[in-house]
Amino acid sequence: MPTDTAMSAAVRMPPAFARTALPGRIVFGDGATSRLVDELDQHDLRQVMLITAAGDAQLGEQGRKVLGDRVQLHWEEVRQHVPRELAQRATSAARAAEADVLVAIGGGSTTGLGKAIAVATGLPLAVVPTTYAGSEMTPIYGLTSDNDKITARDARALPRIVVYDPRLLTTLPPAVVGPSGLNALAHCAEALWAANAEPITVSIALDGARRLRQHLPAAYESDHPAARGEVLIAACLAGMALGTVGTSLHHALCHLLGGMFDAPHAETHAVVLPYVVRYLQPAVPEAAGRLAQALGASEHALGRNIWELGQDVGCPIGLRSVGIREDDLAALTEAALAKQLPSPRPLDYDSLYQALHDAWTGEPPGA
């Protein structure tokens, strides 16, 4: 048998860590929306505030059909980045309706509004996601006011019930599938080098990244529920990983872009991710190497390989394509430094500005 000395030379002791698993029930299946009432019954929840976006009339109709006379209030005003005044009005409406549960059916903005109401009221939240946002698996929520988006963690923001129904994603346009999938990949990447990263969550994040690389192109090319469902599982893993260990520079920058310039959420994540990965890679070589392996990518061209995946699934090219002007980059860089955004690589103006300018042009990231 090998001696302790020989064994210690061959195997490195894993670092110590502590991990708090997030609670919540997940229900997955084709047509799983029909099980929503049964899930609410298990918690004796009968007075529903239904939240869907006005532009998703079909989802609203389906939600009312499934929930029936439990719906005490149907709220349809939803906006990205959750304006604080909107959340306050929706919270007042929830209290006036005497709801005992919030049910959000839709994408990340719909879920985000539900989270803000849940934090303010203490009401339980059930979510039926229709994109790959992954927000439904996290206790992170955000509110925007005065061109500033503030995010926070709160246990009340974590949905009590999440129902994944791949059938609902068959109507998701390819132009949404691609950026939403890259948004999920950003969750996986950040979970690898967030300050609280630990081995269990890293494993979850890497599995999510592998699944996204394997299934996202098919989900982009086809609306088949099986393909869309595979990416839904990947997005669940991605959100679970990020929700457990928190965010890092990529999400902080994208939230700045959203708060300062109202940049579209998923598209901004999709555009920025390859450039932030390249920017951070020298500071996190081991984590970046694991991500490259999970994606079947070259470690030396990881940023470019992520960029190429984004192009394969129809993501926008460059921040200029999502409404950001070149003149905005200086203010963005200054705000990032002033706020001391979390980053495993120390931030300095010149290098960060260059990374953001590269993201603005949309040229493929270099090695």
Side-chain angles (χ1 to χ4, degrees):
M1 294 183 64
T3 64
D4 287 347
T5 301
M7 182 64 74
S8 64
V11 180
R12 187 172 58 179
M13 173 66 72
F17 68 92
R19 181 178 193 270
T20 300
L22 299 176
R25 178 169 171 80
I26 300 171
V27 178
F28 179 94
D30 191 6
T33 306
S34 62
R35 297 170 58 183
L36 182 56
V37 168
D38 291 340
E39 293 298 320
L40 296 179
D41 280 345
Q42 291 183 31
H43 298 276
D44 196 28
L45 299 170
R46 304 186 182 279
Q47 304 283 105
V48 174
M49 177 181 180
L50 173 63
I51 307 168
T52 65
D56 294 327
Q58 187 176 355
L59 286 179
E61 181 180 343
Q62 186 168 356
R64 290 193 303 270
K65 182 178 179 180
V66 168
L67 296 167
D69 59 8
R70 294 169 186 252
V71 178
Q72 303 301 301
L73 170 65
H74 184 187
W75 184 276
E76 295 182 279
E77 185 181 353
V78 174
R79 281 183 274 160
Q80 70 172 356
H81 307 305
V82 193
R84 187 178 298 274
E85 57 83 19
L86 170 60
Q88 290 169 343
R89 285 190 286 110
T91 296
S92 297
R95 289 177 172 141
E98 298 183 346
D100 65 4
V101 64
L102 309 166
V103 176
I105 305 177
S109 297
T110 305
T111 299
L113 178 58
K115 287 182 164 189
I117 302 169
V119 170
T121 62
L123 291 174
L125 173 62
V127 174
V128 184
T130 61
T131 68
Y132 302 121
S135 173
E136 68 280 353
M137 296 308 300
T138 82
I140 303 168
Y141 76 106
L143 294 169
T144 302
S145 61
D146 300 324
N147 296 323
D148 191 20
K149 184 173 183 177
I150 304 297
T151 60
R153 293 177 67 94
D154 193 304
R156 294 169 294 183
L158 184 68
R160 192 83 55 87
I161 302 165
V162 178
V163 176
Y164 286 115
D165 186 347
R167 185 69 54 176
L168 293 184
L169 280 84
T170 57
T171 60
L172 198 64
V176 178
V177 170
S180 191
L182 264 290
N183 183 18
L185 183 58
H187 297 165
C188 296
E190 292 259 278
L192 300 179
W193 49 71
N196 297 319
E198 33 74 15
I200 296 173
T201 300
V202 163
S203 296
I204 293 171
L206 291 173
D207 188 27
R210 278 190 290 268
R211 289 171 179 266
L212 284 165
R213 183 65 187 92
Q214 181 178 356
H215 298 293
L216 183 58
Y220 173 73
E221 294 168 2
S222 168
D223 62 2
H224 195 281
R228 300 287 173 95
E230 288 287 0
V231 180
L232 202 49
I233 291 176
C236 172
L237 294 169
M240 188 182 301
L242 189 79
T244 301
V245 299
T247 63
S248 188
L249 179 63
H250 170 82
H251 279 74
L253 285 172
C254 290
H255 290 159
L256 267 186
L257 283 160
M260 294 175 68
F261 309 112
D262 198 31
H265 184 82
E267 291 85 350
T268 300
H269 278 272
V271 168
V272 171
L273 179 62
Y275 304 94
V276 173
V277 167
R278 185 187 64 174
Y279 177 79
L280 293 180
Q281 191 168 355
V284 289
E286 185 175 344
R290 290 177 175 176
L291 180 60
Q293 185 176 17
L295 295 175
S298 163
E299 188 172 340
H300 296 292
L302 177 57
R304 186 186 184 101
N305 291 157
I306 294 172
W307 182 90
E308 290 171 348
L309 173 61
Q311 296 315 295
D312 289 345
V313 295
C315 292
I317 300 177
L319 285 172
R320 58 183 174 177
S321 69
V322 296
I324 305 302
R325 302 174 306 171
E326 188 173 15
D327 292 347
D328 296 329
L329 300 179
L332 177 64
T333 306
E334 290 168 359
L337 294 174
K339 288 178 175 289
Q340 298 182 328
L341 298 188
S343 174
R345 173 178 172 175
L347 300 181
D348 67 88
Y349 184 91
D350 291 342
S351 62
L352 182 58
Y353 179 88
Q354 185 60 56
L356 291 171
H357 193 273
D358 291 345
W360 182 81
T361 66
E363 292 295 321

